[in-house]
Amino acid sequence: MQTPAPLADYVRATSVADAIAQLEKYGEDARLVAGGHSLIPMMRLRLARPEALIDINDLDELKSIKVEGNEIVVGAMVRHREVLDSPLLFEHYPIFRECEKVIADPVVRNRGSVGGSYCQADPSEDLSALGSALRGSVVIQNSTGTRTVPMREFHFGPYMTQVGDGEILTEVRFPIRPGAGSAYEKVERRVGDWAVASVGTFVVVKNGVVEDCGIGLAAVGAEHFCVPAAEEFLIGKAPTEENLEQAAAMAAEGCNPSSDQRGPADYKKHLAKELTLRALRRSVQSSQGA
Amino acid sequence: MRFVVPSNQAKEPDMQVTMTINGESVTKECEPRTLLVHFIRDIVGLRGTHWGCDTSNCGTCVLWVDGEPVKSCTILAAMADGREVRTVEGLEQNGQLDPIQEGFRECHGLQCGFCTPGMMMTGRWILDNNPNPSEEEIREGISGQLCRCTGYHNIVKSIQWAAEHPAENEVKA
Amino acid sequence: MTAVEEAPLSPAGNPIGFGNMKRVEDQRFIRGEGNYVDDVNLPGMLHSAILRSPYAHARIKSIDTSAAEALPGVVAVITGKTLEGIPRPSLLGDNFAWMPTLSYDTQAVLATDKVRFQGQEVAFVIANDRYIAKDAVELIDVDYEQLEPVMDAKKAMEPDAPVIRDDKGQTDNSITDVHGHKTWESGNAIGTAEAIAQAEADPNCVVVTQEIMYPRVHPAPMETCGSVSYLDKVTGQLTMYTTSQAPHAHRTVYAMVAGLPEHKIRIISPDVGGGFGNKVGVYPGYVLSVIGTIVTGKPVKWMEDRGENLMSTSFARDYHMTGTIAATKEGKILAVDVDVLADHGAFNGVAQPTNYPAGFFHIFSGSYDYPHAHCKVTPVYTNKAPGGVAYACSFRITEAVYLIERLVDCLAAELNMDPAELRLKNLLRPEQFPYTSPTGWEYDSGEYEKTMRVAMEIAGYDELRKEQEEKRARGEYMGIGFSFFTEGVGAGPRKDMDILGLGMADGIELRVHPTGKAVLRLSVQSQGQAHETTYAQIVAHELGINPEDIEVVHGDTDQTPFGLGTYGSRSTPVSGAAAAVVSRKVKERARQVAAAALECSPDDLEWELGRWYVKGDKERGKTITEIALLSHGSLELPEGVEGHLDATAVYNPPNLTYPYGCYICVVDVDPGTGQVKVRRFIAVDDCGTRINPMVVEGQVHGGLADGIGMALMEVIAFDEDGNNLGGSFMDYLLPTSMECPTYELGETVTPSPHHPIGAKGVGESATVGSPPAVVNAVMDALAPFGVRHADMPLTPANVWRAIQGNPIRVDMAVE
């Protein structure tokens, strides 16, 4: 099988501060490794060739899921399986469970981490669609301090994020929205595959009107995994089938998918609409049922 | 076996790794880049753990690290340093086959046998977490592991058999 | 329903004969103690890696290996130029750079002049470990001049198409077989054309023509291909551990390729992690491991990556078919004509019997009774990987069954007739057997309608149609798909069938030790088929020896007699027959010994399982165990009786066997996304006598999953630049446990009249029979949208596009 290129050093970080110090020591050729389920495959195919790996698996400070104020905080080292199984996340947003259930497979989910998925920044990353839908934010730390970056400003493009040299993504934060309904829809060619297209949404319906909503889309060429115009259209309107359809059409309009083995662009564009509509319908239903 | 250091490396890349494998502490030298699957197979010499792809899709390399199934092609041996590894060779205890092993034989859960160790390791884990899984839960549990011979039908049956025939020391829920 | 009496049980609880028996081989596999090629580590062994072409078609201007050679740990770097410099004392060319294919073509071991497909072998690195070998591959610098690739088989024969095989002096991309033919025809061209023309002119008849593509797929066994070769310079003995489905045939090919004396070559095929046809071919990597040991004097291991496996080793299918079916409006089929464009890749490397260059595709007339059939197959070279018999295809019967079963459904749609009814109207009737098909195949036995009715019964067919009607009214789309297939397996009669001149008969040896325990030595090679169990059962059935007392030896050419190996579902029909025949020889020898011991004439003896006794005096007899000891003992034997019971046999099958079956698939289609869910799969197989029903059913399960994979997700596609788009398991998708339902199996048993135990072989039945059932089900679901045909794989994108009336061309990259 394919094997990684030579790697000069491997170290275990003992704390976030230590991880940052190690990153600074090794410079731009160092990479953090969390679950390794994006990085090691890239290394095996020799698409990534770090000189040093800094293992952050021992950093317990990054492993919790908790509520702070009106936000849910998910540590960067939380594994996908923990997100899937978390009653706390499910209670606030069923979308977490729906989304995680279709990410990779159970064995990969045992190991892959939330922080790793965000930092890999694959354009088909389901968690990115989820994060963008919920308008979450990420906390990035370096030796001078921390900063919080909205999810919708986090990506520069495919595989490129705001996390720079000597920096570590420590946590992801999601605002709590009482009464929100949420849902995740994904079409994949086969279980465990990356999305052909996927859409996550939340909707807060109050007094028969959409008070707030979010739409996140992966794999369909939506800038920052979202199409704000579709959300703006829906907010303040009644969640009628007609309005949902219009919002879904606008969401699809804001996507620029490319043709590949997963499907031609016209199909993906169609899916952006179809899946947005399905996710919105279910989000509205569960918000109204809440 | 010792890896030869490429000349373009500035420093000596070999490192020492210690882990508990099937209850025994093992210390070996390897490169920092050595994948756990190669460490287990080529350096430790336990060849029941297989490999079958380059993209973490096939799951023939599944073993346990700290009690959870992991694709051992997707983790470095260095990352398993200090951790507990369990491989297919560790299923049999004191000459007694694990029910998951019996199940695969009883139900014809294997043909060429290549995916079998990975499937059994995941099957064991599914049952440890959920002694009475539904068919759907079993299917989902093994969905990251490919089999080309059985069409999965008898693998599912084998895990069900193991659920119905727990070992004496297992608590049946 | 089984035609076989239940066998008595041995002390270990195993059937002394046919019946469910747990597998002997599982004892090692469940402990992780299997021994696959990559588990073989010899002292001083070196590792290797292959540099492969990034281009589909390019001229090699130069190769610089100096940096790779300078890397510490690298032992040797071999290129095509190196191989050209190694003289080969062989009939097959004067150097090692080229090797023969199994179809009398040539294939580059390492490219010298040009590369002709992406992934072709360019250089071979031998190093101290596998990581360094990979490091060194990256350091080899090749200067290529890119040439226009030929990726579309339909354009390969256009006058301005670039010529791929200029090495052979070709001026176009046509393929000429060993008989000098450029097309392969069978059936009656004139009669079929006339019948179709008459039907076209007849208002009471219909004629339907459909283009049907069977895309390129790959067997993708979980274990990739590899070998460990060691040439002992003192003895001159080459030992090769290799992933081979046909160790003896491989030995002969290596003798030809390497010019080594055949008696000095030992091929050991240890446990093989699945084959499905992928491990029939002789690949450059294997040959390079041999060259590696010749060059270095040390054992050399070559194990390919998954990407290498998918991109360079034997693909399957790639048949562009156009079928025309004529029938009366009542649904009586009159004639079928087929035109095929066969994409063979850059080297004609198909492994077919010499006289059957299109394999057994010509059996395409299927399970139906009609007089006129004709087909023409035109093979072409393209800049794709070579190969072409693989993935459990029964020598291209997979393509044939897919063609006819799709055509029948297209006809049903045209006639607005239930596809089950149409099939029942045309199935061959029991009294027609043995039946000679319009393309000349003699089907041995069958009760087709009975089998189909069993399948419909299990499915609850009428209920399913009712459910479908109700669902359609609600805007839900479910589909029910049929497939009725007939295979011809067990190649084959040696007067008709050979590969590279090697007749397709199989040898076998049975030894019975003095204590009555036995050893059976097979020429065929298990890749998971349970030979160690089922062959013991055949001997047990014939001789009454407990199956646990019979050791089955295979996979080592030094320990087994010659034979052509396991593929094309041939083990049971050929070698299984040999096992029965050799057992009967032993039984006959035992009779002579027993007669001497019982002081009677052999003619006075009668057999019951495990024992000869004197007619009319059942108490007076000798068990096979007693006879075994007597045969080795001091008993005085009559003149001409040698003593010992050991025997050998070579089985040359008089005909193929013809397993068949009826499959029904039920799917649900989401038209909004194009997603297909296989809800049920009913499979009723008739493979004649079932030696071990558990093993038969296991093989059927696996084949059904293959069918789901091919129908819904598997494809090796290319873009116009020649890039292989299916080169990893990220893109070459195999079905998981989630896409496969719990299968519902049934059986009928119609023994083969010419096979000693009536068995027919079943290894590929489900792979052959299942794809059309899935596709027919999806097309049935999409009928309300006016969809009649879309090519596999029916990915969500393809299904959605089909509904839009704009299906994707699946073999080339999407637009």
Side-chain angles (χ1 to χ4, degrees):
Chain A
M1 64 183 276
Q2 296 190 320
T3 58
L7 172 68
D9 248 323
Y10 165 87
V11 289
R12 289 257 174 101
T14 53
S15 65
V16 170
D18 180 44
I20 293 167
Q22 298 282 1
L23 280 171
E24 289 186 335
K25 178 180 152 197
Y26 284 101
E28 59 179 341
D29 293 327
R31 291 287 296 268
L32 296 178
V33 61
H37 274 48
S38 299
L39 181 58
I40 307 283
M42 301 273 283
M43 287 170 62
R44 229 173 19 215
L45 299 173
R46 304 197 172 198
L47 298 170
R49 296 164 172 267
E51 285 281 308
L53 280 190
I54 298 149
D55 186 337
I56 55 170
N57 277 278
D58 288 345
L59 305 191
D60 291 340
E61 57 208 280
L62 303 181
K63 289 182 181 169
S64 64
I65 301 173
K66 61 193 176 204
V67 173
E68 272 181 22
N70 64 345
E71 285 187 312
I72 309 170
V73 182
V74 179
M77 274 310 305
V78 169
R79 316 275 177 184
H80 286 284
R81 183 162 75 90
E82 295 167 313
V83 175
L84 177 67
D85 291 345
S86 165
L88 175 70
L89 290 171
F90 182 71
E91 179 198 328
H92 290 282
Y93 291 112
I95 187 176
F96 276 101
R97 190 170 295 176
E98 291 189 9
C99 176
E100 280 292 352
K101 214 171 155 54
V102 293
I103 291 178
D105 62 70
V107 176
V108 167
R109 292 197 294 260
N110 276 344
R111 191 81 201 159
S113 69
V114 168
S117 291
Y118 278 115
C119 289
Q120 175 70 12
D122 190 293
S124 303
E125 175 56 54
D126 290 294
L127 275 189
S128 295
L130 177 149
S132 202
L134 298 184
R135 290 198 286 277
S137 55
V138 300
V139 177
I140 300 168
Q141 190 172 334
N142 59 27
S143 55
T144 63
T146 66
R147 66 182 194 281
T148 302
V149 177
M151 194 68 81
R152 292 183 176 191
E153 294 168 19
F154 178 62
H155 299 92
F156 291 131
Y159 308 103
M160 291 186 296
T161 73
Q162 296 254 15
V163 180
D165 294 339
E167 293 193 323
I168 175 171
L169 185 156
T170 54
E171 59 192 36
V172 191
R173 307 177 80 96
F174 301 95
I176 294 170
R177 299 180 179 91
S182 62
Y184 200 78
E185 293 279 346
K186 175 176 180 176
V187 169
E188 49 193 359
R189 293 175 298 176
R190 186 204 65 192
V191 165
D193 189 21
W194 292 94
V196 179
S198 55
V199 179
T201 61
F202 84 86
V203 178
V204 181
V205 183
K206 269 217 182 113
N207 305 322
V209 170
V210 175
E211 187 188 78
D212 195 2
C213 78
I215 302 172
L217 308 96
V220 285
E223 208 177 334
H224 295 299
F225 298 89
C226 61
V227 182
E231 298 164 351
E232 286 156 20
F233 167 81
L234 204 55
I235 292 173
K237 293 199 175 61
T240 61
E241 180 69 8
E242 200 183 359
N243 284 333
L244 299 186
E245 272 182 26
Q246 178 65 26
M250 290 172 76
E253 213 39 56
C255 295
N256 187 20
S258 47
S259 294
D260 59 21
Q261 278 303 93
R262 294 195 170 82
D266 62 339
Y267 170 63
K268 291 184 183 179
K269 206 148 182 156
H270 161 78
L271 282 184
K273 181 178 170 212
E274 180 72 25
L275 299 185
T276 303
L277 179 60
R278 291 182 185 194
L280 283 174
R281 277 185 196 141
R282 290 202 293 118
S283 299
V284 167
Q285 246 172 27
S286 72
S287 176
Q288 285 173 331
Chain B
M1 182 193 301
R2 195 169 178 289
F3 291 103
V4 176
V5 185
S7 64
N8 57 355
Q9 286 296 315
K11 61 196 287 281
E12 169 68 47
D14 277 9
M15 62 187 296
Q16 210 172 51
V17 171
T18 300
M19 62 186 83
T20 306
I21 303 176
N22 301 326
E24 274 181 47
S25 178
V26 176
T27 300
K28 297 276 180 190
E29 290 221 325
C30 69
E31 283 187 277
R33 64 168 162 168
T34 304
L35 299 170
L36 181 57
V37 64
H38 288 138
F39 182 85
I40 294 287
R41 285 179 54 80
D42 295 346
I43 299 177
V44 179
L46 292 174
R47 297 182 199 122
T49 302
H50 302 140
W51 59 267
C53 76
D54 307 312
T55 47
S56 309
N57 291 102
C58 81
T60 59
C61 65
V62 168
L63 45 66
W64 288 12
V65 176
D66 286 348
E68 282 183 348
V70 167
K71 294 183 176 178
S72 64
C73 72
T74 316
I75 167 173
L76 301 179
M79 294 169 77
D81 183 51
R83 310 209 188 272
E84 264 188 49
V85 170
R86 189 182 186 193
T87 68
V88 63
E89 289 89 348
L91 281 176
E92 190 174 353
Q93 304 267 337
N94 307 319
Q96 200 67 31
L97 289 175
D98 188 283
I100 199 81
Q101 294 171 297
E102 304 260 23
F104 271 72
R105 181 152 190 268
E106 284 293 326
C107 301
H108 189 28
L110 64 148
Q111 291 179 36
C112 82
F114 202 74
C115 75
T116 313
M119 289 289 186
M120 290 194 303
M121 294 311 287
T122 300
R124 181 67 264 155
W125 179 73
I126 291 170
L127 297 179
D128 284 353
N129 286 279
N130 178 2
N132 292 302
S134 66
E135 181 187 331
E136 190 61 20
E137 286 167 332
I138 293 172
R139 285 187 178 273
E140 217 231 320
I142 59 170
S143 65
Q145 290 164 250
L146 299 171
C147 171
R148 206 61 163 149
C149 297
T150 65
Y152 307 102
H153 184 105
N154 284 345
I155 293 179
V156 174
K157 293 250 179 301
S158 301
I159 297 172
Q160 285 172 330
W161 188 96
E164 289 156 14
H165 299 80
E168 276 170 27
N169 57 356
E170 279 181 66
V171 183
K172 183 81 184 148
Chain C
M1 198 170 308
T2 168
V4 181
E5 275 179 45
E6 255 180 54
L9 296 183
S10 72
N14 295 316
I16 308 175
F18 305 149
N20 289 335
M21 172 176 159
K22 287 195 270 296
R23 303 196 329 160
V24 174
E25 37 279 86
D26 288 357
Q27 294 289 7
R28 59 180 184 275
F29 292 132
I30 58 172
R31 290 173 169 84
E33 296 291 336
N35 188 33
Y36 303 91
V37 168
D38 196 40
D39 299 337
V40 174
N41 287 321
L42 302 180
M45 186 179 78
L46 301 171
H47 293 261
S48 67
I50 293 175
L51 173 71
R52 293 176 181 275
S53 167
Y55 303 116
H57 200 191
R59 193 165 303 286
I60 295 176
K61 292 166 74 177
S62 65
I63 304 179
D64 181 356
T65 59
S66 53
E69 282 163 355
L71 186 69
V74 171
V75 176
V77 181
I78 294 169
T79 66
K81 281 268 177 294
T82 328
L83 298 184
E84 282 181 324
I86 306 177
R88 173 172 57 188
S90 131
L91 306 170
L92 294 153
D94 53 7
N95 69 65
F96 277 108
W98 292 81
M99 64 176 194
T101 71
L102 298 179
S103 305
Y104 295 92
D105 195 0
T106 50
Q107 175 172 356
V109 176
L110 289 174
T112 50
D113 53 339
K114 289 202 304 191
V115 288
R116 293 175 170 83
F117 67 93
Q118 189 186 49
Q120 187 180 337
E121 298 78 3
V122 174
F124 185 62
V125 173
I126 303 168
N128 288 339
D129 77 50
R130 58 176 108 213
Y131 283 50
I132 293 171
K134 293 286 187 194
D135 295 344
V137 159
E138 289 190 304
L139 297 175
I140 299 171
D141 188 18
V142 185
D143 187 9
Y144 293 103
E145 176 195 341
Q146 276 185 257
L147 303 170
E148 188 190 336
V150 181
M151 302 316 300
D152 188 343
K154 291 177 172 172
K155 294 179 182 165
M157 289 301 285
E158 285 176 2
D160 58 346
V163 176
I164 297 165
R165 296 304 302 276
D166 44 349
D167 59 294
K168 299 205 301 181
Q170 294 231 160
T171 54
D172 63 17
N173 294 316
S174 66
I175 291 175
T176 309
D177 70 19
V178 68
H179 305 296
H181 298 145
K182 284 180 188 289
T183 59
W184 305 320
E185 277 190 73
S186 80
N188 182 345
I190 296 168
T192 304
E194 282 175 359
I196 289 171
Q198 275 173 19
E200 272 170 343
D202 187 339
N204 293 316
C205 292
V206 294
V207 176
V208 177
T209 295
Q210 181 64 53
E211 269 190 56
I212 296 169
M213 165 84 192
Y214 209 133
R216 179 173 281 234
V217 290
H218 198 280
M222 295 319 299
E223 178 204 32
T224 59
C225 299
S227 53
V228 177
S229 300
Y230 177 54
L231 178 70
D232 183 322
K233 288 219 160 137
V234 176
T235 62
Q237 170 99 16
L238 174 71
T239 304
M240 188 175 185
Y241 297 84
T242 187
T243 52
S244 173
Q245 298 178 221
H248 290 278
H250 276 198
R251 184 185 60 197
T252 304
V253 172
Y254 293 122
M256 291 170 166
V257 171
L260 293 169
E262 195 167 356
H263 67 292
K264 291 287 190 185
I265 303 177
R266 178 181 184 188
I267 305 289
I268 299 171
S269 206
D271 288 323
V272 178
F276 317 108
N278 189 223
K279 293 163 181 170
V280 173
V282 172
Y283 301 123
Y286 296 148
V287 175
L288 287 167
S289 76
V290 174
I291 292 167
T293 183
I294 293 173
V295 169
T296 64
K298 292 189 170 167
V300 173
K301 176 184 279 187
W302 169 69
M303 281 305 302
E304 65 186 4
D305 302 341
R306 176 57 60 189
E308 296 180 286
N309 177 253
L310 290 169
M311 289 174 70
S312 73
T313 62
S314 200
F315 71 94
R317 328 289 192 255
D318 219 341
Y319 259 34
H320 300 252
M321 307 180 281
T322 305
T324 300
I325 186 166
T328 67
K329 284 198 168 156
E330 288 73 44
K332 187 80 197 86
I333 301 171
L334 301 169
V336 174
D337 198 5
V338 187
D339 194 58
V340 180
L341 181 62
D343 186 335
H344 281 231
F347 308 103
N348 184 23
V350 295
Q352 312 284 9
T354 305
N355 293 337
Y356 300 83
F360 301 163
F361 180 79
H362 302 276
I363 200 174
F364 70 90
S365 69
S367 315
Y368 309 108
D369 178 20
Y370 56 91
H372 303 294
H374 167 254
C375 82
K376 185 176 98 177
V377 179
T378 307
V380 293
Y381 288 117
T382 60
N383 286 115
K384 301 183 189 174
V389 55
Y391 204 172
C393 77
S394 285
F395 295 116
R396 293 211 190 273
I397 294 176
T398 318
E399 288 93 320
V401 165
Y402 183 64
L403 173 94
I404 188 68
E405 290 305 294
R406 276 274 55 235
L407 274 184
V408 166
D409 259 38
C410 289
L411 176 64
E414 179 74 21
L415 295 171
N416 199 20
M417 186 180 281
D418 184 309
E421 187 193 338
L422 179 59
R423 283 181 173 79
L424 285 167
K425 260 186 193 172
N426 288 284
L427 283 178
L428 292 165
R429 299 179 308 282
E431 65 272 18
Q432 288 177 281
F433 290 87
Y435 166 80
T436 303
S437 83
T439 48
W441 303 79
E442 194 185 301
Y443 298 7
D444 57 354
S445 63
E447 291 197 47
Y448 288 3
E449 180 174 342
K450 178 171 140 194
T451 304
M452 182 149 169
R453 299 247 180 235
V454 171
M456 291 170 73
E457 176 76 28
I458 295 172
Y461 184 58
D462 294 340
E463 289 302 310
L464 281 173
R465 284 290 176 207
K466 220 177 280 169
E467 182 192 345
Q468 181 184 42
E469 201 176 319
E470 287 163 13
K471 285 204 161 144
R472 275 188 186 164
R474 294 202 299 269
E476 292 170 32
Y477 297 88
M478 69 175 269
I480 307 152
F482 278 86
S483 164
F484 199 106
F485 66 91
T486 301
E487 284 189 281
V489 303
R494 73 187 331 163
K495 68 178 174 17
D496 299 324
M497 295 177 190
D498 69 270
I499 289 180
L500 280 183
L502 304 172
M504 300 185 80
D506 277 74
I508 202 156
E509 292 174 12
L510 177 59
R511 287 188 204 164
V512 183
H513 299 316
T515 56
K517 316 290 184 197
V519 175
L520 183 72
R521 296 173 187 278
L522 307 181
S523 59
V524 292
Q525 171 65 38
S526 174
Q527 315 120 45
Q529 292 93 335
H531 290 170
E532 290 163 46
T533 307
T534 54
Y535 278 77
Q537 289 184 265
I538 296 173
V539 175
H541 173 82
E542 294 292 334
L543 292 176
I545 300 175
N546 298 326
E548 61 270 22
D549 294 337
I550 302 160
E551 186 75 10
V552 175
V553 177
H554 62 104
D556 181 343
T557 55
D558 270 12
Q559 293 205 47
T560 57
F562 191 89
L564 278 212
T566 296
Y567 44 85
S569 299
R570 66 187 299 280
S571 289
T572 296
V574 186
S575 183
V581 167
V582 81
S583 299
R584 288 171 194 181
K585 282 189 180 177
V586 166
K587 190 157 82 181
E588 198 46 45
R589 293 177 78 110
R591 181 185 200 152
Q592 305 295 327
V593 175
L598 296 166
E599 296 176 338
C600 65
S601 157
D603 295 339
D604 294 337
L605 294 178
E606 239 171 82
W607 175 259
E608 65 176 350
L609 187 62
R611 186 170 179 270
W612 284 110
Y613 66 90
V614 178
K615 274 181 206 165
D617 185 1
K618 215 163 177 182
E619 294 302 301
R620 246 180 94 208
K622 294 283 178 194
T623 66
I624 190 77
T625 307
E626 291 166 336
I627 299 168
L629 192 55
L630 287 165
S631 78
H632 285 86
S634 55
L635 174 71
E636 197 171 325
L637 295 170
E639 216 176 335
V641 178
E642 290 176 309
H644 299 194
L645 300 180
D646 307 346
T648 66
V650 176
Y651 189 76
N652 176 28
N655 186 8
L656 301 179
T657 59
Y658 291 78
Y660 61 92
C662 180
Y663 293 173
I664 303 175
C665 180
V666 183
V667 300
D668 295 302
V669 178
D670 179 341
T673 61
Q675 286 168 300
V676 175
K677 174 85 189 157
V678 176
R679 192 206 309 171
R680 292 179 65 192
F681 215 129
I682 296 97
V684 180
D685 276 277
D686 192 324
C687 56
T689 304
R690 295 184 171 209
I691 298 159
N692 185 330
M694 176 191 85
V695 168
V696 169
E697 289 178 7
Q699 296 213 355
V700 172
H701 294 157
L704 296 177
D706 288 348
I708 291 168
M710 283 182 279
L712 300 183
M713 61 193 83
E714 293 179 32
V715 64
I716 302 272
F718 294 84
D719 67 16
E720 286 180 351
D721 297 329
N723 294 306
N724 187 320
L725 305 176
S728 81
F729 276 167
M730 300 257 292
D731 284 307
Y732 192 77
L733 300 174
L734 305 186
T736 74
S737 51
M738 300 296 280
E739 285 78 33
C740 299
T742 295
Y743 309 112
E744 301 165 68
L745 304 191
E747 64 173 81
T748 59
V749 176
T750 312
S752 168
H754 64 76
H755 187 280
I757 56 171
K760 287 186 169 185
V762 74
E764 298 160 313
S765 288
T767 313
V768 168
S770 58
V774 183
V775 175
N776 286 342
V778 176
M779 293 303 117
D780 184 51
L782 299 185
F785 297 101
V787 177
R788 181 178 282 179
H789 179 77
D791 286 326
M792 300 185 283
L794 297 171
T795 59
N798 197 16
V799 169
W800 182 79
R801 274 291 204 83
I803 294 171
Q804 314 309 311
N806 184 23
I808 289 169
R809 181 160 176 203
V810 294
D811 57 324
M812 300 294 287
V814 287
E815 57 264 36

